[in-house]
């Protein structure tokens, strides 16, 4: 079932990786002999092993339009293409990680991206809930939107693996992630480039599990406290809500009592949009 779901999410028009095998071929194979892909991929996942041949990627270097100069690497972007068979397996792994995310408290309870059944709409509703809750208490609320760039490229495998073990993720998944993050290579493709594969030691190559890796890796505490005034004379606590879809917008909500309020109002009993895990 997981393989069929992974294939259904794969576009026939997606560019293939180094093997040049498009998804349409695997879909045809799976429709004729459903047991073939399962017999190929199940042992890899069960034993926590990702074959080095599946970890070779092509990095297509494209220039960013509208740049005045192309003397800097920042004027280019890289599209990473993995082998389609590898991406089918990684989609299955991403589904398994998603299922264990809530059970193991792997990510923040307000995480809205990379989880089934949650979306940007949920992130907006969470923000609206907190703003309206503070307004009912006659607090003024300020919200700062942040965007974390380069998140996928800076995931360190030892820290990520330590986190997965500490949270109680299934050993076969931890072993597979460990195998996947080792011995990866990428060939940067541009005009005149030599066909050489160079090792990749950090990051996750923007593959299907990347959102789960990054969300787990950067999952913060629910509240950060700072001494003294920061945004207003009565500002003491900065609640950090983290409903990031992948690594993108994070919002920080800051509250302070209104000038009309002479005493601290009672604490709100308004429920959160998402229940706390048991």
């Amino acid at each position: 079932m997981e393989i069929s779901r992974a294939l259904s999410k794969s576009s026939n028009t997606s560019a293939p990786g180094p093997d040049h095998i498009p998804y349409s071929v695997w879909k045809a194979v799976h429709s004729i002999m459903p047991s073939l892909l399962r017999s190929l991929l199940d042992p890899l996942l069960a034993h926590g092993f990702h074959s080095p041949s599946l970890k070779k990627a092509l990095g297509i270097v494209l220039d960013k339009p509208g740049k005045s100069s192309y003397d800097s690497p920042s004027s280019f972007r890289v599209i990473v293409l993995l082998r389609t068979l590898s991406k089918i397996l990684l989609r299955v792994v991403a589904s398994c990680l998603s299922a264990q995310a809530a059970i193991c408290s792997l990510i923040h309870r307000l995480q809205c991206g990379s989880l089934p059944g949650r979306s940007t709409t949920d992130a907006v509703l969470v923000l609206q809930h907190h703003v309206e809750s503070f307004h009912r208490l006659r607090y003024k609320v300020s919200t700062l939107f942040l965007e974390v760039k380069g998140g996928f490229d800076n995931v360190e495998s030892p820290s990520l693996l330590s986190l997965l073990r500490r949270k109680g993720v299934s050993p076969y998944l931890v072993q597979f992630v460990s195998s996947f993050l080792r011995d990866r290579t990428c060939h940067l493709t541009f005009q005149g480039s030599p066909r050489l594969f160079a090792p990749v030691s950090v990051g996750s190559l923007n593959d299907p599990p990347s959102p789960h890796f990054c969300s787990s890796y950067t999952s913060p505490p629910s509240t950060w406290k700072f001494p003294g005034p920061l945004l207003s004379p009565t500002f003491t606590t900065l609640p950090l809500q983290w409903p990031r879809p992948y690594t993108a917008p994070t919002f920080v909500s800051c509250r302070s009592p209104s000038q009309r309020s002479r005493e601290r109002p009672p604490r709100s009993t308004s429920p959160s949009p998402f229940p706390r895990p048991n």
Side-chain angles (χ1 to χ4, degrees), residues 78-144:
V78 179
I79 298 178
V80 178
L81 303 177
L82 299 172
R83 296 176 184 265
T84 47
L85 182 61
S86 177
K87 293 198 73 170
I88 294 170
L89 175 59
L90 292 174
R91 287 188 189 278
V92 174
V93 171
S95 179
C96 295
L97 285 172
S98 178
Q100 294 205 9
I103 299 174
C104 301
S105 299
L106 193 58
I107 57 179
H108 194 272
R109 66 186 182 88
L110 295 183
Q111 171 72 26
C112 293
S114 68
L115 288 178
R118 294 191 183 180
S119 64
T120 305
T121 302
D122 297 292
V124 173
L125 291 175
V126 170
L127 176 59
Q128 181 182 3
H129 165 79
H130 284 283
V131 171
E132 291 180 351
S133 296
F134 291 141
H135 281 174
R136 283 194 295 271
L137 297 174
R138 298 202 296 179
Y139 275 93
K140 292 182 177 179
V141 182
S142 299
T143 301
L144 174 64

Side-chain angles (χ1 to χ4, degrees), residues 18 25 47 55 75-76 89 103 111 117 140 142 147 157-158 175 181 193 208 217 223 239:
V25 171
H47 293 283
K55 290 187 281 188
S75 300
F76 301 86
L89 175 59
I103 299 174
Q111 171 72 26
K140 292 182 177 179
S142 299
E147 179 154 359
S157 56
Q175 182 61 33
L181 293 176
S193 64
Y217 186 74
T223 302

Side-chain angles (χ1 to χ4, degrees), residues 127-204:
L127 176 59
Q128 181 182 3
H129 165 79
H130 284 283
V131 171
E132 291 180 351
S133 296
F134 291 141
H135 281 174
R136 283 194 295 271
L137 297 174
R138 298 202 296 179
Y139 275 93
K140 292 182 177 179
V141 182
S142 299
T143 301
L144 174 64
F145 290 88
L146 306 174
E147 179 154 359
V148 181
K149 292 186 177 181
F152 293 173
D153 303 330
N154 293 283
V155 173
E156 295 182 353
S157 56
S159 299
L160 175 63
L161 294 172
S162 175
L163 173 67
L164 296 179
R165 295 189 185 99
R166 191 169 65 251
K167 291 288 188 177
V169 174
S170 298
Y172 80 92
L173 276 177
V174 177
Q175 182 61 33
F176 181 87
V177 172
S178 175
S179 175
F180 165 69
L181 293 176
R182 294 196 310 265
D183 305 322
R184 293 170 298 155
T185 57
C186 182
H187 163 53
L188 292 180
T189 303
F190 53 90
Q191 187 175 2
S193 64
R195 192 167 180 79
L196 299 175
F197 284 85
V200 178
S201 58
V202 295
S204 50

Side-chain angles (χ1 to χ4, degrees), residues 255-273:
R255 66 176 186 259
S256 62
S258 170
Q259 295 298 324
R260 296 177 299 172
S261 176
R262 294 182 177 275
E263 60 182 19
R264 186 179 182 85
R267 190 172 184 177
S268 172
T269 58
S270 176
S272 170

Side-chain angles (χ1 to χ4, degrees), residues 235-252:
F235 177 84
T236 56
T237 305
L238 186 147
L240 177 61
Q241 312 302 337
W242 207 270
R244 75 174 82 223
Y246 307 132
T247 57
T250 300
F251 65 78
V252 179

